[in-house]
Amino acid sequence: MGWYESEVLPRVIDVALSGKAFARIRGRVASGLEGEVLEVGFGAGPNVPHYPPAVTRVRAVDPALTGRKLAAKRIAASPIPVEFIGLDGQVLPLEDESVDHVLSTWTLCTIPDAERALGEVRRVLRPGGALHFVEHGRVPDPKVARWQDRLTPVQRRLFGGCHLNRPIDELVAAAGLDVEQVDTYFMKGPKVAGYMFEGVATKP
Ligand SMILES: C[S@@+](CC[C@H](N)C(=O)[O-])C[C@H]1O[C@@H](n2cnc3c(N)ncnc32)[C@H](O)[C@@H]1O
């Protein structure tokens, strides 16, 4: 990881994914989390203020160590302990069926092998536990989707490997999780990066 990706990008992302609209979404996605939670792509900890009181501990995974530094104040202000357990959502250092819930916000776009990461999520979730997610991804309109395919190589270079064109709902279902609920909508801004998948998927 170079200087731009390790030092600059975590700060840019922390600012870009802040504000009222993002906070509202984070609050919705975190609602219903309880017990032992794994957060994949913890970043600078923008979800920390949204963890419900029923969460007993969060285990955080992210390769960007600068994010941990940026998260320090949020973690200190929260009664919920956060433990950094690893750098890569594709290889989780956790026992099978060891967490109650998993949280992922705008991260499945960036993990190199999202299928593998979702396989790990399924493995570590207890039966009945759920993945709570919000992710941007592939637009159903083929014209926009074609632009997403064209622009993804540039996006990946500029934003730490971020793909514009991943079909998030299909990937979650293909991992063997039951998609209980998924809302799709556009946020303000360019359509190629603004189509959201917000939902909950349970391990059978
Ligand atoms: C767009 S940022 C989102 C950060 C945060 N989840 C949020 O909601 O603002 C994507 C995050 O995925 C992390 N990431 C990249 N590769 C990863 C991997 N292999 N495993 C886990 N996280 C990864 C990045 O470091 C970054 O923090």
Side-chain angles (χ1 to χ4, degrees), residues 2-73:
W3 174 79
Y4 168 73
E5 290 203 337
S6 69
E7 295 296 326
V8 180
L9 205 50
R11 293 181 165 85
V12 170
I13 288 170
D14 193 30
V15 172
L17 303 187
S18 66
K20 281 187 189 156
F22 285 98
R24 268 197 301 275
I25 296 171
R26 293 182 190 282
R28 283 200 304 266
V29 175
S31 98
L33 293 173
E34 58 181 2
E36 292 274 322
V37 171
L38 163 70
E39 181 164 0
V40 183
F42 179 82
N47 294 316
V48 172
H50 301 281
Y51 297 150
V55 173
T56 51
R57 176 168 59 160
V58 171
R59 293 165 152 219
V61 172
D62 200 299
L65 299 180
T66 300
R68 295 185 187 190
K69 284 187 229 151
L70 298 175
K73 275 190 192 160

Side-chain angles (χ1 to χ4, degrees), residues 116-133:
R116 192 167 165 205
L118 284 163
E120 282 289 86
V121 166
R122 187 181 194 283
R123 180 180 69 74
V124 302
L125 268 175
R126 65 158 167 81
L131 166 68
H132 291 224
F133 62 94

Side-chain angles (χ1 to χ4, degrees), residues 13 17 26 40-41 43 46 62-64 87-90 105-107 110-112:
I13 288 170
L17 303 187
R26 293 182 190 282
V40 183
D62 200 299
L87 302 175
D88 187 359
Q90 300 163 123
T105 61
W106 295 288
T107 290
T110 301
I111 295 182

Side-chain angles (χ1 to χ4, degrees), residues 2 8 26 31 72 111 137 154 184 191 195-196:
V8 180
R26 293 182 190 282
S31 98
I111 295 182
V154 179
T184 53
K191 280 191 165 182
Y195 191 62
M196 304 298 149

